[in-house]
Amino acid sequence: MQSFEKHRGIIATLDRANVDTDQIIPKQFLKSIARTGFGEALFCDWKYAADGSLDASFELNADRFRGASILIARNNFGCGSSREHAVWAVAQAGFRAVIAPRIEHEDGSVKAFADIFQNNASKNGLVTVELSESEVNEIFNTVTTTPGLEATVDLVTQQVTLHTHEPVIYNFDFDPAIKENILLGRDDIGQTLEHESTITAYEDRIGETTD
Amino acid sequence: MPKTLFEKIWDKHVVDVLPDGTTLLYIDRHLVHEVTSPQAFEGLRLAGRSVRQPGRTLATMDHNVPTDDRHNINDPISKAQIEALEKNCNDFDVTLYGLDSNKQGIVHIIGPEQGATLPGMTIVCGDSHTSTHGAFGTLAFGIGTSEVEHVLATQTLRQKKPRSMKVDFRGALQKGVTSKDMILKLIRELGTAGCTGYVLEYAGDAIRALTMEERMTICNMSIEGGARAGMIAPDDTTFEYVASDDRPYAPRGEALERAIKEWRKLPTDPGARFDRELSINVSDLPPQVSWGTNPGMVADVTGCIPSPDAVTHCSQVDAERALEYMGLTPGTPVTDIAIDTVFLGSCTNARIEDLRRAAAILRDRKVAETVRMLVVPGSERVREQAEAEGLDRIFKNAGAEWRFAGCSMCLAMNPDQLKPGERCASTSNRNFEGRQGKGGRTHLVSPEMATAAAVAGHFVDVREWM
Ligand code: SF4
């Protein structure tokens, strides 16, 4: 997978919560047996009008977001199906990081990203940044009032920087195990197979297959 | 230390704790289908790796398959995906229930049916509704394609231990109210992200009273609340299901006796702790109908379409967008909503019991002239059983279409799709924009509610028909 230490680029807003994987990549694109070619299909049902032209009312089609490589959205991004195609589409459309808010309420917190999406992102070097609701609101406001705004996501220092006149910095938490893999662009399977003797010992212990 | 069902299964499957703190978890059963596996098999080929445990791996095709003429797949890309799975299973020595097999069906229906889903197991599949299998007291969850490849190559997964939540369902359901209504109610209460990061255990007298089919419906939709997995402790109902019928993967005779003895140790110990607990009384629960574009946007059948500022778990703008997409006006009574399509199918509600309950309503009734009703059994075995019981004739006589098994209009990857603006009462699990066809509008309901709507042409409180 592609490694990631630090990335600077245009930040684009998607002002929607619960963006589900059926929207990120509609099912007609799931029929491919390849791992590439999904970028064009990102948010396809929102992006294009019925005649195939770009739908001007969809915010990511705005000129100011052309070439954007950091996406910020609302809570529960990537909910729905387990399709890794959703992560491939986001990454292949040129995004290196997605930011979303964790929501705190009296019974605990609601995570910014759906579990499987976040897991899949971690296998593809797409960085998922969780910030607080107020920080995300603030970034939304700044992006809206600052055309062409760039941001930097730094995984080493775990910081998002908005390159406004006076740079603004937000710190984020990140799972240390995933961090290391993404920093090094490391393949999971190879690593796991280093423990093959332990897997074999486990299999010997539980006996042959259950059937 | 007293342990929960989840902890018992987790602990038993720990192969190793890695230096980075993640757990290497052993996977007892890996289910595979045509959509999320091609890139994983390709990855194995490129790296010169094999499938570590073909005997623990079981494949079928369900998402793409036509449900009318199965051997005539017009879409060349669907066909390529189906052929790829055949080749991959052949090359890597994996058992495949293909289009010619009478064991073919939706992956989450055939696992339990064939006895491949057993209490105490860890089960994964490249599909989020893998949570279905938790109904047997298994730890079952969906994974992405990179993880599919990881399991194929290593029979393990790297996991961080999720948090645990207990949901106590209390009371007794009224006649005509089902486990589908229970889970819709829960997601409505907590929101579609309310359970993210948790493994749920469903407990309480209302759960104990459910059949295995009904339990699978609840666990199936755990993911719609964001949960990693949902599970129900095994009991005599579970063991009877496993012991009944022809389930080639399940133990039999003495081996089954021994297994049941072990399975009886699985339920959560008294005093075991959960990270979160809540309880819901279902005695007064009316049938539930989704009105919006996610499974948390749900109303009582006796209620009305809410005003956008009264919708919880989403912004007012999101609620307005959902209402606009659905073409609904706040204040409209749910029973005034007319539908033109009914889909009875999917891994949520296309088991034999679901079909029986729907057929019981259709006996001596007709599908309304304005409605097209599609009945798609969850597996070929369900279809054969339904035909042996004469259910197909009841559906056909009433004017419904009777199909072969597959996912069909649950996600509309095959030709079964809604047209823009069409409105469907669906027994499936997702009402996302465009899920059943671009511009299509989906209302999630139980099989009983869907069937009654098919007859009336609009939603009705099916309790009045009981
Ligand atoms: S029936 Fe629907 S939810 Fe179930 S596996 Fe098929 S597509 Fe997924």
Side-chain angles (χ1 to χ4, degrees), chain A residues 16 23 27 30-31 34-35 46 80 84 175 192 196 202-203 211, chain B residues 12 26 39 52 55 75 81 145-146 150 158 160 411 433-435:
Chain A
R16 301 181 189 215
Q23 305 317 317
K27 65 239 158 198
L30 303 186
K31 290 180 185 170
R35 214 176 177 117
W46 288 339
E84 196 159 320
D175 184 324
T192 299
E196 196 179 350
Y202 179 92
E203 284 173 337
D211 44 76
Chain B
K12 207 173 155 234
Y26 198 74
Q39 294 88 350
R52 185 178 176 88
D75 179 350
Q81 218 167 42
T145 298
S146 293
H150 193 279
R158 305 165 148 252
K160 267 186 73 175
L411 94 166
E433 285 182 28
R435 170 86 177 176

PDB file of all heavy atoms in Angstrom, chain A residues 16 23 27 30-31 34-35 46 80 84 175 192 196 202-203 211, chain B residues 12 26 39 52 55 75 81 145-146 150 158 160 411 433-435:
ATOM      1  N   ARG A  16     -22.587  16.578   4.647  1.00  0.00           N
ATOM      2  CA  ARG A  16     -23.625  15.568   4.857  1.00  0.00           C
ATOM      3  C   ARG A  16     -23.160  14.598   5.924  1.00  0.00           C
ATOM      4  O   ARG A  16     -21.970  14.277   5.994  1.00  0.00           O
ATOM      5  CB  ARG A  16     -23.878  14.772   3.572  1.00  0.00           C
ATOM      6  CG  ARG A  16     -24.305  15.653   2.429  1.00  0.00           C
ATOM      7  CD  ARG A  16     -24.576  14.842   1.180  1.00  0.00           C
ATOM      8  NE  ARG A  16     -24.763  15.758   0.058  1.00  0.00           N
ATOM      9  CZ  ARG A  16     -25.596  15.556  -0.953  1.00  0.00           C
ATOM     10  NH1 ARG A  16     -26.326  14.468  -1.011  1.00  0.00           N
ATOM     11  NH2 ARG A  16     -25.692  16.433  -1.923  1.00  0.00           N
ATOM     12  N   GLN A  23     -23.637   5.529  -1.673  1.00  0.00           N
ATOM     13  CA  GLN A  23     -23.446   6.833  -2.309  1.00  0.00           C
ATOM     14  C   GLN A  23     -21.997   7.014  -2.741  1.00  0.00           C
ATOM     15  O   GLN A  23     -21.722   7.593  -3.785  1.00  0.00           O
ATOM     16  CB  GLN A  23     -23.828   7.980  -1.362  1.00  0.00           C
ATOM     17  CG  GLN A  23     -25.228   7.903  -0.794  1.00  0.00           C
ATOM     18  CD  GLN A  23     -26.253   7.503  -1.832  1.00  0.00           C
ATOM     19  OE1 GLN A  23     -26.239   7.976  -2.958  1.00  0.00           O
ATOM     20  NE2 GLN A  23     -27.136   6.601  -1.446  1.00  0.00           N
ATOM     21  N   LYS A  27     -23.653   0.604  -6.720  1.00  0.00           N
ATOM     22  CA  LYS A  27     -23.330  -0.813  -6.959  1.00  0.00           C
ATOM     23  C   LYS A  27     -22.971  -1.177  -8.378  1.00  0.00           C
ATOM     24  O   LYS A  27     -22.306  -2.164  -8.600  1.00  0.00           O
ATOM     25  CB  LYS A  27     -24.497  -1.677  -6.549  1.00  0.00           C
ATOM     26  CG  LYS A  27     -25.734  -1.438  -7.415  1.00  0.00           C
ATOM     27  CD  LYS A  27     -26.832  -1.014  -6.575  1.00  0.00           C
ATOM     28  CE  LYS A  27     -27.898  -0.265  -7.277  1.00  0.00           C
ATOM     29  NZ  LYS A  27     -28.682   0.449  -6.256  1.00  0.00           N
ATOM     30  N   LEU A  30     -19.513  -2.162  -8.775  1.00  0.00           N
ATOM     31  CA  LEU A  30     -18.938  -3.231  -7.960  1.00  0.00           C
ATOM     32  C   LEU A  30     -18.659  -4.469  -8.783  1.00  0.00           C
ATOM     33  O   LEU A  30     -18.193  -5.466  -8.273  1.00  0.00           O
ATOM     34  CB  LEU A  30     -19.882  -3.613  -6.821  1.00  0.00           C
ATOM     35  CG  LEU A  30     -20.285  -2.501  -5.869  1.00  0.00           C
ATOM     36  CD1 LEU A  30     -21.094  -3.080  -4.733  1.00  0.00           C
ATOM     37  CD2 LEU A  30     -19.070  -1.795  -5.333  1.00  0.00           C
ATOM     38  N   LYS A  31     -19.006  -4.422 -10.053  1.00  0.00           N
ATOM     39  CA  LYS A  31     -18.896  -5.653 -10.833  1.00  0.00           C
ATOM     40  C   LYS A  31     -17.498  -5.873 -11.382  1.00  0.00           C
ATOM     41  O   LYS A  31     -17.227  -6.902 -11.965  1.00  0.00           O
ATOM     42  CB  LYS A  31     -19.906  -5.611 -11.980  1.00  0.00           C
ATOM     43  CG  LYS A  31     -21.338  -5.727 -11.465  1.00  0.00           C
ATOM     44  CD  LYS A  31     -22.318  -5.674 -12.595  1.00  0.00           C
ATOM     45  CE  LYS A  31     -23.739  -5.667 -12.045  1.00  0.00           C
ATOM     46  NZ  LYS A  31     -24.697  -5.389 -13.109  1.00  0.00           N
ATOM     47  N   ALA A  34     -11.254  -5.890 -11.113  1.00  0.00           N
ATOM     48  CA  ALA A  34      -9.953  -5.226 -10.946  1.00  0.00           C
ATOM     49  C   ALA A  34      -9.963  -4.390  -9.666  1.00  0.00           C
ATOM     50  O   ALA A  34     -10.997  -4.239  -9.022  1.00  0.00           O
ATOM     51  CB  ALA A  34      -9.679  -4.333 -12.139  1.00  0.00           C
ATOM     52  N   ARG A  35      -8.801  -3.865  -9.312  1.00  0.00           N
ATOM     53  CA  ARG A  35      -8.687  -3.084  -8.088  1.00  0.00           C
ATOM     54  C   ARG A  35      -8.565  -1.603  -8.401  1.00  0.00           C
ATOM     55  O   ARG A  35      -8.436  -0.784  -7.501  1.00  0.00           O
ATOM     56  CB  ARG A  35      -7.445  -3.554  -7.327  1.00  0.00           C
ATOM     57  CG  ARG A  35      -7.610  -3.493  -5.846  1.00  0.00           C
ATOM     58  CD  ARG A  35      -6.368  -4.066  -5.160  1.00  0.00           C
ATOM     59  NE  ARG A  35      -6.531  -3.931  -3.741  1.00  0.00           N
ATOM     60  CZ  ARG A  35      -6.594  -4.943  -2.879  1.00  0.00           C
ATOM     61  NH1 ARG A  35      -6.477  -6.157  -3.294  1.00  0.00           N
ATOM     62  NH2 ARG A  35      -6.777  -4.719  -1.600  1.00  0.00           N
ATOM     63  N   TRP A  46     -24.553  11.432  -7.225  1.00  0.00           N
ATOM     64  CA  TRP A  46     -24.682  12.846  -6.846  1.00  0.00           C
ATOM     65  C   TRP A  46     -23.963  13.748  -7.846  1.00  0.00           C
ATOM     66  O   TRP A  46     -24.358  14.882  -8.093  1.00  0.00           O
ATOM     67  CB  TRP A  46     -24.082  13.083  -5.446  1.00  0.00           C
ATOM     68  CG  TRP A  46     -24.899  12.521  -4.329  1.00  0.00           C
ATOM     69  CD1 TRP A  46     -26.227  12.202  -4.362  1.00  0.00           C
ATOM     70  CD2 TRP A  46     -24.454  12.221  -2.999  1.00  0.00           C
ATOM     71  NE1 TRP A  46     -26.624  11.718  -3.144  1.00  0.00           N
ATOM     72  CE2 TRP A  46     -25.559  11.726  -2.282  1.00  0.00           C
ATOM     73  CE3 TRP A  46     -23.223  12.333  -2.335  1.00  0.00           C
ATOM     74  CZ2 TRP A  46     -25.484  11.333  -0.948  1.00  0.00           C
ATOM     75  CZ3 TRP A  46     -23.143  11.949  -1.000  1.00  0.00           C
ATOM     76  CH2 TRP A  46     -24.264  11.444  -0.317  1.00  0.00           C
ATOM     77  N   GLY A  80     -22.774   1.544   6.105  1.00  0.00           N
ATOM     78  CA  GLY A  80     -23.380   0.687   5.090  1.00  0.00           C
ATOM     79  C   GLY A  80     -22.539  -0.533   4.814  1.00  0.00           C
ATOM     80  O   GLY A  80     -22.061  -1.168   5.743  1.00  0.00           O
ATOM     81  N   GLU A  84     -14.917  -2.600  -0.067  1.00  0.00           N
ATOM     82  CA  GLU A  84     -13.662  -1.846  -0.024  1.00  0.00           C
ATOM     83  C   GLU A  84     -13.577  -0.922  -1.238  1.00  0.00           C
ATOM     84  O   GLU A  84     -12.795   0.038  -1.252  1.00  0.00           O
ATOM     85  CB  GLU A  84     -12.474  -2.822   0.011  1.00  0.00           C
ATOM     86  CG  GLU A  84     -11.171  -2.184   0.436  1.00  0.00           C
ATOM     87  CD  GLU A  84     -10.171  -3.209   0.946  1.00  0.00           C
ATOM     88  OE1 GLU A  84     -10.585  -4.152   1.663  1.00  0.00           O
ATOM     89  OE2 GLU A  84      -8.981  -3.101   0.624  1.00  0.00           O
ATOM     90  N   ASP A 175      -4.720   5.395  16.009  1.00  0.00           N
ATOM     91  CA  ASP A 175      -4.339   4.075  16.499  1.00  0.00           C
ATOM     92  C   ASP A 175      -2.859   3.816  16.171  1.00  0.00           C
ATOM     93  O   ASP A 175      -2.463   3.800  15.013  1.00  0.00           O
ATOM     94  CB  ASP A 175      -5.241   3.043  15.814  1.00  0.00           C
ATOM     95  CG  ASP A 175      -5.000   1.639  16.328  1.00  0.00           C
ATOM     96  OD1 ASP A 175      -3.830   1.310  16.619  1.00  0.00           O
ATOM     97  OD2 ASP A 175      -5.974   0.883  16.447  1.00  0.00           O
ATOM     98  N   THR A 192       1.735 -10.890   9.084  1.00  0.00           N
ATOM     99  CA  THR A 192       1.060 -11.966   9.816  1.00  0.00           C
ATOM    100  C   THR A 192       1.765 -13.295   9.570  1.00  0.00           C
ATOM    101  O   THR A 192       1.913 -14.113  10.473  1.00  0.00           O
ATOM    102  CB  THR A 192      -0.416 -12.046   9.407  1.00  0.00           C
ATOM    103  OG1 THR A 192      -1.038 -10.815   9.735  1.00  0.00           O
ATOM    104  CG2 THR A 192      -1.123 -13.177  10.132  1.00  0.00           C
ATOM    105  N   GLU A 196       3.626 -17.453  11.380  1.00  0.00           N
ATOM    106  CA  GLU A 196       2.988 -18.654  10.889  1.00  0.00           C
ATOM    107  C   GLU A 196       3.106 -19.824  11.848  1.00  0.00           C
ATOM    108  O   GLU A 196       2.166 -20.607  12.014  1.00  0.00           O
ATOM    109  CB  GLU A 196       3.549 -19.045   9.522  1.00  0.00           C
ATOM    110  CG  GLU A 196       2.602 -20.031   8.923  1.00  0.00           C
ATOM    111  CD  GLU A 196       2.948 -20.546   7.555  1.00  0.00           C
ATOM    112  OE1 GLU A 196       3.858 -20.004   6.930  1.00  0.00           O
ATOM    113  OE2 GLU A 196       2.263 -21.491   7.184  1.00  0.00           O
ATOM    114  N   TYR A 202      -1.614 -23.121  16.908  1.00  0.00           N
ATOM    115  CA  TYR A 202      -3.022 -22.954  17.292  1.00  0.00           C
ATOM    116  C   TYR A 202      -3.877 -24.001  16.587  1.00  0.00           C
ATOM    117  O   TYR A 202      -4.730 -24.649  17.194  1.00  0.00           O
ATOM    118  CB  TYR A 202      -3.506 -21.542  16.937  1.00  0.00           C
ATOM    119  CG  TYR A 202      -4.963 -21.303  17.287  1.00  0.00           C
ATOM    120  CD1 TYR A 202      -5.309 -20.775  18.523  1.00  0.00           C
ATOM    121  CD2 TYR A 202      -5.988 -21.634  16.393  1.00  0.00           C
ATOM    122  CE1 TYR A 202      -6.641 -20.574  18.857  1.00  0.00           C
ATOM    123  CE2 TYR A 202      -7.316 -21.437  16.712  1.00  0.00           C
ATOM    124  CZ  TYR A 202      -7.645 -20.903  17.954  1.00  0.00           C
ATOM    125  OH  TYR A 202      -8.963 -20.719  18.277  1.00  0.00           O
ATOM    126  N   GLU A 203      -3.633 -24.180  15.295  1.00  0.00           N
ATOM    127  CA  GLU A 203      -4.426 -25.151  14.528  1.00  0.00           C
ATOM    128  C   GLU A 203      -4.213 -26.573  15.046  1.00  0.00           C
ATOM    129  O   GLU A 203      -5.150 -27.370  15.105  1.00  0.00           O
ATOM    130  CB  GLU A 203      -4.081 -25.054  13.040  1.00  0.00           C
ATOM    131  CG  GLU A 203      -4.728 -23.827  12.411  1.00  0.00           C
ATOM    132  CD  GLU A 203      -4.294 -23.572  10.966  1.00  0.00           C
ATOM    133  OE1 GLU A 203      -3.210 -24.034  10.573  1.00  0.00           O
ATOM    134  OE2 GLU A 203      -5.057 -22.894  10.255  1.00  0.00           O
ATOM    135  N   ASP A 211     -15.201 -29.490   9.933  1.00  0.00           N
ATOM    136  CA  ASP A 211     -16.163 -30.305   9.163  1.00  0.00           C
ATOM    137  C   ASP A 211     -15.605 -31.671   8.811  1.00  0.00           C
ATOM    138  O   ASP A 211     -14.498 -31.994   9.164  1.00  0.00           O
ATOM    139  CB  ASP A 211     -16.580 -29.555   7.896  1.00  0.00           C
ATOM    140  CG  ASP A 211     -15.409 -28.907   7.191  1.00  0.00           C
ATOM    141  OD1 ASP A 211     -14.671 -29.649   6.538  1.00  0.00           O
ATOM    142  OD2 ASP A 211     -15.221 -27.691   7.340  1.00  0.00           O
TER     143      ASP A 211
ATOM    144  N   LYS B  12     -11.125 -17.570  23.171  1.00  0.00           N
ATOM    145  CA  LYS B  12     -10.817 -18.898  22.643  1.00  0.00           C
ATOM    146  C   LYS B  12     -10.142 -18.823  21.265  1.00  0.00           C
ATOM    147  O   LYS B  12      -9.522 -19.782  20.824  1.00  0.00           O
ATOM    148  CB  LYS B  12     -12.118 -19.709  22.553  1.00  0.00           C
ATOM    149  CG  LYS B  12     -11.867 -21.171  22.660  1.00  0.00           C
ATOM    150  CD  LYS B  12     -13.094 -22.022  22.752  1.00  0.00           C
ATOM    151  CE  LYS B  12     -12.701 -23.403  22.236  1.00  0.00           C
ATOM    152  NZ  LYS B  12     -13.539 -23.886  21.176  1.00  0.00           N
ATOM    153  N   TYR B  26      -8.214 -16.173  15.294  1.00  0.00           N
ATOM    154  CA  TYR B  26      -8.418 -17.288  14.364  1.00  0.00           C
ATOM    155  C   TYR B  26      -9.844 -17.276  13.811  1.00  0.00           C
ATOM    156  O   TYR B  26     -10.791 -16.987  14.535  1.00  0.00           O
ATOM    157  CB  TYR B  26      -8.154 -18.638  15.043  1.00  0.00           C
ATOM    158  CG  TYR B  26      -7.935 -19.726  14.020  1.00  0.00           C
ATOM    159  CD1 TYR B  26      -6.730 -19.786  13.304  1.00  0.00           C
ATOM    160  CD2 TYR B  26      -8.924 -20.658  13.714  1.00  0.00           C
ATOM    161  CE1 TYR B  26      -6.521 -20.750  12.322  1.00  0.00           C
ATOM    162  CE2 TYR B  26      -8.720 -21.626  12.741  1.00  0.00           C
ATOM    163  CZ  TYR B  26      -7.517 -21.671  12.048  1.00  0.00           C
ATOM    164  OH  TYR B  26      -7.326 -22.615  11.072  1.00  0.00           O
ATOM    165  N   GLN B  39     -10.682  -9.452  -6.263  1.00  0.00           N
ATOM    166  CA  GLN B  39      -9.413  -8.754  -6.057  1.00  0.00           C
ATOM    167  C   GLN B  39      -8.572  -9.453  -4.988  1.00  0.00           C
ATOM    168  O   GLN B  39      -7.351  -9.344  -4.983  1.00  0.00           O
ATOM    169  CB  GLN B  39      -9.676  -7.299  -5.657  1.00  0.00           C
ATOM    170  CG  GLN B  39     -10.331  -6.451  -6.739  1.00  0.00           C
ATOM    171  CD  GLN B  39     -11.858  -6.507  -6.713  1.00  0.00           C
ATOM    172  OE1 GLN B  39     -12.452  -7.314  -6.003  1.00  0.00           O
ATOM    173  NE2 GLN B  39     -12.492  -5.656  -7.497  1.00  0.00           N
ATOM    174  N   ARG B  52      -5.086 -20.970   2.867  1.00  0.00           N
ATOM    175  CA  ARG B  52      -4.521 -21.766   3.955  1.00  0.00           C
ATOM    176  C   ARG B  52      -5.444 -22.914   4.357  1.00  0.00           C
ATOM    177  O   ARG B  52      -5.003 -24.019   4.597  1.00  0.00           O
ATOM    178  CB  ARG B  52      -4.247 -20.867   5.162  1.00  0.00           C
ATOM    179  CG  ARG B  52      -3.551 -21.600   6.288  1.00  0.00           C
ATOM    180  CD  ARG B  52      -3.242 -20.715   7.471  1.00  0.00           C
ATOM    181  NE  ARG B  52      -2.654 -21.520   8.535  1.00  0.00           N
ATOM    182  CZ  ARG B  52      -1.360 -21.763   8.643  1.00  0.00           C
ATOM    183  NH1 ARG B  52      -0.508 -21.257   7.766  1.00  0.00           N
ATOM    184  NH2 ARG B  52      -0.904 -22.524   9.628  1.00  0.00           N
ATOM    185  N   GLY B  55     -10.888 -25.965   3.519  1.00  0.00           N
ATOM    186  CA  GLY B  55     -11.991 -26.653   4.178  1.00  0.00           C
ATOM    187  C   GLY B  55     -12.811 -25.744   5.088  1.00  0.00           C
ATOM    188  O   GLY B  55     -13.949 -26.056   5.447  1.00  0.00           O
ATOM    189  N   ASP B  75     -25.658  -9.270 -18.709  1.00  0.00           N
ATOM    190  CA  ASP B  75     -24.665  -8.267 -18.401  1.00  0.00           C
ATOM    191  C   ASP B  75     -23.266  -8.915 -18.423  1.00  0.00           C
ATOM    192  O   ASP B  75     -22.956  -9.754 -17.586  1.00  0.00           O
ATOM    193  CB  ASP B  75     -24.975  -7.692 -17.004  1.00  0.00           C
ATOM    194  CG  ASP B  75     -23.954  -6.653 -16.594  1.00  0.00           C
ATOM    195  OD1 ASP B  75     -22.928  -6.527 -17.282  1.00  0.00           O
ATOM    196  OD2 ASP B  75     -24.192  -5.978 -15.581  1.00  0.00           O
ATOM    197  N   GLN B  81     -17.770 -11.651 -13.418  1.00  0.00           N
ATOM    198  CA  GLN B  81     -17.561 -11.806 -11.987  1.00  0.00           C
ATOM    199  C   GLN B  81     -17.930 -13.226 -11.531  1.00  0.00           C
ATOM    200  O   GLN B  81     -17.264 -13.820 -10.696  1.00  0.00           O
ATOM    201  CB  GLN B  81     -18.418 -10.772 -11.254  1.00  0.00           C
ATOM    202  CG  GLN B  81     -17.733 -10.191 -10.070  1.00  0.00           C
ATOM    203  CD  GLN B  81     -18.428  -8.972  -9.522  1.00  0.00           C
ATOM    204  OE1 GLN B  81     -19.644  -8.939  -9.430  1.00  0.00           O
ATOM    205  NE2 GLN B  81     -17.661  -7.975  -9.146  1.00  0.00           N
ATOM    206  N   THR B 145     -12.199  -6.261   1.318  1.00  0.00           N
ATOM    207  CA  THR B 145     -11.507  -7.192   0.426  1.00  0.00           C
ATOM    208  C   THR B 145     -10.059  -7.452   0.836  1.00  0.00           C
ATOM    209  O   THR B 145      -9.568  -8.577   0.719  1.00  0.00           O
ATOM    210  CB  THR B 145     -11.586  -6.670  -1.021  1.00  0.00           C
ATOM    211  OG1 THR B 145     -12.969  -6.626  -1.386  1.00  0.00           O
ATOM    212  CG2 THR B 145     -10.858  -7.569  -1.988  1.00  0.00           C
ATOM    213  N   SER B 146      -9.359  -6.430   1.363  1.00  0.00           N
ATOM    214  CA  SER B 146      -7.978  -6.675   1.832  1.00  0.00           C
ATOM    215  C   SER B 146      -7.986  -7.712   2.953  1.00  0.00           C
ATOM    216  O   SER B 146      -7.093  -8.555   3.034  1.00  0.00           O
ATOM    217  CB  SER B 146      -7.348  -5.387   2.364  1.00  0.00           C
ATOM    218  OG  SER B 146      -7.154  -4.473   1.326  1.00  0.00           O
ATOM    219  N   HIS B 150      -6.469 -11.479   3.460  1.00  0.00           N
ATOM    220  CA  HIS B 150      -5.715 -11.825   4.665  1.00  0.00           C
ATOM    221  C   HIS B 150      -6.218 -13.141   5.264  1.00  0.00           C
ATOM    222  O   HIS B 150      -5.429 -14.005   5.658  1.00  0.00           O
ATOM    223  CB  HIS B 150      -5.848 -10.683   5.682  1.00  0.00           C
ATOM    224  CG  HIS B 150      -4.898 -10.763   6.822  1.00  0.00           C
ATOM    225  ND1 HIS B 150      -5.111 -11.568   7.907  1.00  0.00           N
ATOM    226  CD2 HIS B 150      -3.707 -10.143   7.048  1.00  0.00           C
ATOM    227  CE1 HIS B 150      -4.105 -11.428   8.765  1.00  0.00           C
ATOM    228  NE2 HIS B 150      -3.239 -10.572   8.257  1.00  0.00           N
ATOM    229  N   ARG B 158      -6.261  -9.531  11.968  1.00  0.00           N
ATOM    230  CA  ARG B 158      -5.717  -8.673  13.026  1.00  0.00           C
ATOM    231  C   ARG B 158      -6.845  -7.790  13.503  1.00  0.00           C
ATOM    232  O   ARG B 158      -7.448  -7.079  12.722  1.00  0.00           O
ATOM    233  CB  ARG B 158      -4.623  -7.790  12.454  1.00  0.00           C
ATOM    234  CG  ARG B 158      -3.588  -8.582  11.786  1.00  0.00           C
ATOM    235  CD  ARG B 158      -2.729  -7.692  10.920  1.00  0.00           C
ATOM    236  NE  ARG B 158      -1.420  -8.300  10.958  1.00  0.00           N
ATOM    237  CZ  ARG B 158      -0.385  -7.812  11.601  1.00  0.00           C
ATOM    238  NH1 ARG B 158      -0.437  -6.649  12.193  1.00  0.00           N
ATOM    239  NH2 ARG B 158       0.751  -8.460  11.631  1.00  0.00           N
ATOM    240  N   LYS B 160      -8.631  -5.295  16.789  1.00  0.00           N
ATOM    241  CA  LYS B 160      -8.623  -4.667  18.105  1.00  0.00           C
ATOM    242  C   LYS B 160      -9.910  -5.073  18.787  1.00  0.00           C
ATOM    243  O   LYS B 160     -10.955  -5.117  18.143  1.00  0.00           O
ATOM    244  CB  LYS B 160      -8.593  -3.148  17.952  1.00  0.00           C
ATOM    245  CG  LYS B 160      -7.198  -2.598  17.967  1.00  0.00           C
ATOM    246  CD  LYS B 160      -7.219  -1.101  17.953  1.00  0.00           C
ATOM    247  CE  LYS B 160      -7.650  -0.516  19.298  1.00  0.00           C
ATOM    248  NZ  LYS B 160      -7.540   0.959  19.278  1.00  0.00           N
ATOM    249  N   LEU B 411     -30.231  -5.044  -3.447  1.00  0.00           N
ATOM    250  CA  LEU B 411     -29.271  -4.020  -3.877  1.00  0.00           C
ATOM    251  C   LEU B 411     -29.263  -3.819  -5.368  1.00  0.00           C
ATOM    252  O   LEU B 411     -28.498  -3.009  -5.887  1.00  0.00           O
ATOM    253  CB  LEU B 411     -27.856  -4.305  -3.348  1.00  0.00           C
ATOM    254  CG  LEU B 411     -26.856  -5.081  -4.213  1.00  0.00           C
ATOM    255  CD1 LEU B 411     -25.477  -4.931  -3.654  1.00  0.00           C
ATOM    256  CD2 LEU B 411     -27.282  -6.496  -4.359  1.00  0.00           C
ATOM    257  N   GLU B 433     -30.420   6.044  -0.534  1.00  0.00           N
ATOM    258  CA  GLU B 433     -30.758   6.586  -1.859  1.00  0.00           C
ATOM    259  C   GLU B 433     -30.242   5.644  -2.949  1.00  0.00           C
ATOM    260  O   GLU B 433     -29.083   5.238  -2.923  1.00  0.00           O
ATOM    261  CB  GLU B 433     -30.052   7.939  -2.065  1.00  0.00           C
ATOM    262  CG  GLU B 433     -30.660   9.082  -1.307  1.00  0.00           C
ATOM    263  CD  GLU B 433     -29.930  10.402  -1.620  1.00  0.00           C
ATOM    264  OE1 GLU B 433     -29.368  10.550  -2.707  1.00  0.00           O
ATOM    265  OE2 GLU B 433     -29.950  11.272  -0.719  1.00  0.00           O
ATOM    266  N   GLY B 434     -31.123   5.306  -3.869  1.00  0.00           N
ATOM    267  CA  GLY B 434     -30.697   4.534  -5.032  1.00  0.00           C
ATOM    268  C   GLY B 434     -30.386   3.075  -4.768  1.00  0.00           C
ATOM    269  O   GLY B 434     -30.008   2.347  -5.670  1.00  0.00           O
ATOM    270  N   ARG B 435     -30.526   2.622  -3.527  1.00  0.00           N
ATOM    271  CA  ARG B 435     -30.147   1.259  -3.199  1.00  0.00           C
ATOM    272  C   ARG B 435     -30.866   0.233  -4.084  1.00  0.00           C
ATOM    273  O   ARG B 435     -30.292  -0.712  -4.575  1.00  0.00           O
ATOM    274  CB  ARG B 435     -30.470   0.984  -1.724  1.00  0.00           C
ATOM    275  CG  ARG B 435     -30.350  -0.468  -1.295  1.00  0.00           C
ATOM    276  CD  ARG B 435     -28.948  -0.813  -0.898  1.00  0.00           C
ATOM    277  NE  ARG B 435     -28.857  -2.193  -0.429  1.00  0.00           N
ATOM    278  CZ  ARG B 435     -27.728  -2.782  -0.081  1.00  0.00           C
ATOM    279  NH1 ARG B 435     -26.589  -2.124  -0.159  1.00  0.00           N
ATOM    280  NH2 ARG B 435     -27.695  -4.025   0.332  1.00  0.00           N
TER     281      ARG B 435
END
